Structure formats: structure tokens, C-alpha cells
């Protein structure tokens, strides 16, 4: 079952903040966030593990609510370079590295 | 390091033809995977491997075969191409981290069109 992302798209002005949400109907072991620019490959942003461990970029923050099976990605003081499509990927306990990605959130940052 | 390389970058096939998409990584990663991405959609896992000699099916494995004879290479075979397999294919590799997939490094992708 693929995770559900919201919103589907968001438009910001430089300097504004945004939150992208990812929710799953299954118990989660880990949540992974990637950004993809048009015509390019996805690039890693962050991993959040059950139990609280996190790994990722210094300028990006995220949360993982294990009980609600949800994660949120926080983009603060957005820059033009933040534009792209953000994907969350999830792994469930016992899934043996079978990762499922959401449909993506398209973020556009305007000057 | 070259990272993750994929060949070819573009390919056009006729229905029923077979072909192999190549993927190689030079980072000594245990985990390798193949995804397809259709327009406006996320990545869907086709097959993955956690080490040489070990492969497993992902979300959409039908019509595709894989093998992992070495740590470095993970080719994806299309057995009999169908128009529904028109897509962009990404290969990725990562270390394994505490039972989960770590940072995945994606290759540049292969754009496949099946006529």
C-alpha cells in the first residue's frame, strides 16, 4: 500500500515556509524523503527511523509520528532551489526493504 | 567514483521485443533496486536485492526479471515488451542501515518507449 502525500502541490514565495505530509495505513519502520527536479533523478533528503533516529540534511527538518503512521517534512525560509517534487518512501516492519513511495508533492518557489 | 550508472539513456522497442537495462554501482552497496516512474506519479519498486545472489519482488514485478551475480551489477530484463512498460526506469543503490534501506543513490534513468 502506497503512502498518501498532501498537499499535491504548493506554491510559495521565497522566504515562506511549507509543510509536506505523508501518511500510511500500515505500521511504519522508516520514512524516507527525496526531492526530484524535473528531468533528473531523485536526491536523498532525510531518513527517519522508528525509535527516533534521524539522518539527513542540516537545513531540512522532519518529524515521524509512529503511532499515527505519519511523517511531515518542514521547509523553512524557502529558496528558489527548493523547487521540485518531494516524495516520501516508507518501509514497514518485516517488509524486507520493500519501499513504497507516495505520488509526490510538487513545490514551486517563486521570487 | 562514478556512483550509479545506467545504460542506455534512451530506448525505443517494438511490442514483443526483449531487452536488458544495465545498472552498475561502484560504492560497494549491498542494496540495489529498480523503480519505474510514470508521468505525474511516484516511484514504484519493481525488484530489489540485498546482496549478490539475493533478489526479491517489489510492487510491480510482472514482465521483468533480475539477477545479481556480483555486488556491482543489477541488470533488469524486459521479457516481452508491452506499451504499458513505457516509462522512466531508475536504478538505485544504498547501504543497509539497522534493518532498513539507507540513503539511496539513484542513477540518471533510462527512458523507455514501447511502440
Amino acid at each position: 500500500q502506497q503512502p498518501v502525500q498532501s498537499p499535491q502541490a504548493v506554491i510559495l514565495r521565497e522566504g515562506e515556509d511549507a509543510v509536506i505530509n505523508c501518511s500510511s495505513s500500515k505500521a511504519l519502520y522508516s520514512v524516507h524523503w527525496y526531492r526530484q527536479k524535473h528531468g533528473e533523478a531523485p536526491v536523498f533528503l532525510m531518513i527517519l527511523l522508528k525509535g527516533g533516529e534521524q539522518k539527513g540534511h542540516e537545513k531540512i527538518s522532519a518529524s515521524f509520528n509512529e503511532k499515527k503512521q505519519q511523517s511531515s517534512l518542514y521547509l523553512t525560509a524557502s529558496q528558489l532551489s527548493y523547487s521540485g517534487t518531494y516524495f516520501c518512501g516508507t518501509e514497514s516492519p518485516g517488509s524486507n526493504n520493500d519501499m513504497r513511495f507516495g505520488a509526490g508533492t510538487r513545490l514551486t518557489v517563486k521570487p | 567514483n562514478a556512483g550509479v550508472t545506467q545504460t542506455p539513456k534512451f530506448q525505443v522497442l517494438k511490442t514483443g521485443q526483449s531487452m536488458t537495462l544495465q545498472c552498475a554501482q561502484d560504492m560497494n552497496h549491498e542494496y540495489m533496486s529498480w523503480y519505474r516512474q510514470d508521468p505525474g506519479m511516484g516511484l514504484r519498486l519493481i525488484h530489489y536485492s540485498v546482496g549478490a545472489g539475493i533478489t526479491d519482488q517489489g510492487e510491480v514485478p510482472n514482465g521483468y526479471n533480475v539477477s545479481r551475480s556480483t555486488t556491482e551489477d543489477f541488470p533488469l530484463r524486459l521479457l516481452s515488451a508491452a506499451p504499458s512498460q513505457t516509462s522512466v526506469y531508475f536504478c538505485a543503490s544504498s547501504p543497509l542501515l539497522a534493518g532498513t534501506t539507507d540513503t539511496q543513490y539513484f542513477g540518471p534513468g533510462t527512458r523507455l518507449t514501447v511502440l
Side-chain angles (χ1 to χ4, degrees):
Chain A
Q1 192 93 20
Q2 291 176 309
V4 177
Q5 289 185 233
S6 63
Q8 290 184 322
V10 60
I11 300 174
L12 300 174
R13 294 285 180 188
E14 268 188 298
E16 293 181 339
D17 302 337
V19 180
I20 300 173
N21 301 302
C22 175
S23 65
S24 174
S25 60
K26 299 175 68 173
L28 298 178
Y29 183 79
S30 63
V31 180
H32 306 239
W33 287 97
Y34 287 81
R35 178 172 60 211
Q36 184 179 33
K37 294 186 179 288
H38 183 70
E40 299 181 4
V43 174
F44 167 78
L45 295 176
M46 179 162 284
I47 294 173
L48 303 102
L49 299 178
K50 185 177 179 178
E53 185 177 349
Q54 295 188 2
K55 175 182 175 182
H57 283 267
E58 295 177 355
K59 295 186 178 181
I60 291 178
S61 64
S63 64
F64 179 18
N65 187 323
E66 298 169 28
K67 288 185 178 180
K68 291 187 176 180
Q69 298 159 189
Q70 295 175 345
S71 177
S72 294
L73 185 70
Y74 304 98
L75 302 169
T76 57
S78 59
Q79 306 170 15
L80 294 176
S81 62
Y82 287 12
S83 292
T85 301
Y86 290 76
F87 294 101
C88 71
T90 59
E91 288 181 334
S92 295
S95 68
N96 297 325
N97 308 104
D98 184 343
M99 186 174 298
R100 302 298 168 100
F101 279 91
T105 295
R106 179 174 290 183
L107 178 73
T108 304
V109 181
K110 295 187 174 183
Chain B
N1 287 351
V4 179
T5 59
Q6 290 183 237
T7 56
K9 290 186 179 180
F10 301 94
Q11 183 70 48
V12 178
L13 292 177
K14 294 182 179 179
T15 296
Q17 288 184 316
S18 62
M19 78 159 296
T20 299
L21 306 185
Q22 301 291 344
C23 175
Q25 54 97 3
D26 61 1
M27 297 172 281
N28 202 32
H29 287 164
E30 303 102 318
Y31 181 87
M32 295 187 74
S33 56
W34 277 103
Y35 294 91
R36 60 175 290 173
Q37 186 174 37
D38 301 308
M41 295 184 68
L43 300 153
R44 290 188 291 171
L45 184 64
I46 304 172
H47 286 283
Y48 62 99
S49 167
V50 295
I54 306 169
T55 63
D56 211 340
Q57 297 182 348
E59 184 181 358
V60 288
N62 292 342
Y64 308 94
N65 272 355
V66 292
S67 60
R68 183 102 179 265
S69 56
T70 66
T71 301
E72 295 79 19
D73 301 299
F74 192 44
L76 178 72
R77 298 182 190 83
L78 279 70
L79 308 173
S80 177
S84 61
Q85 293 179 305
T86 294
S87 189
V88 179
Y89 291 84
F90 287 102
C91 177
S93 75
S94 88
L96 291 173
L97 171 69
T100 187
T101 309
D102 201 338
T103 305
Q104 290 199 73
Y105 296 85
F106 284 83
T110 294
R111 293 184 176 274
L112 176 68
T113 301
V114 183
L115 302 174

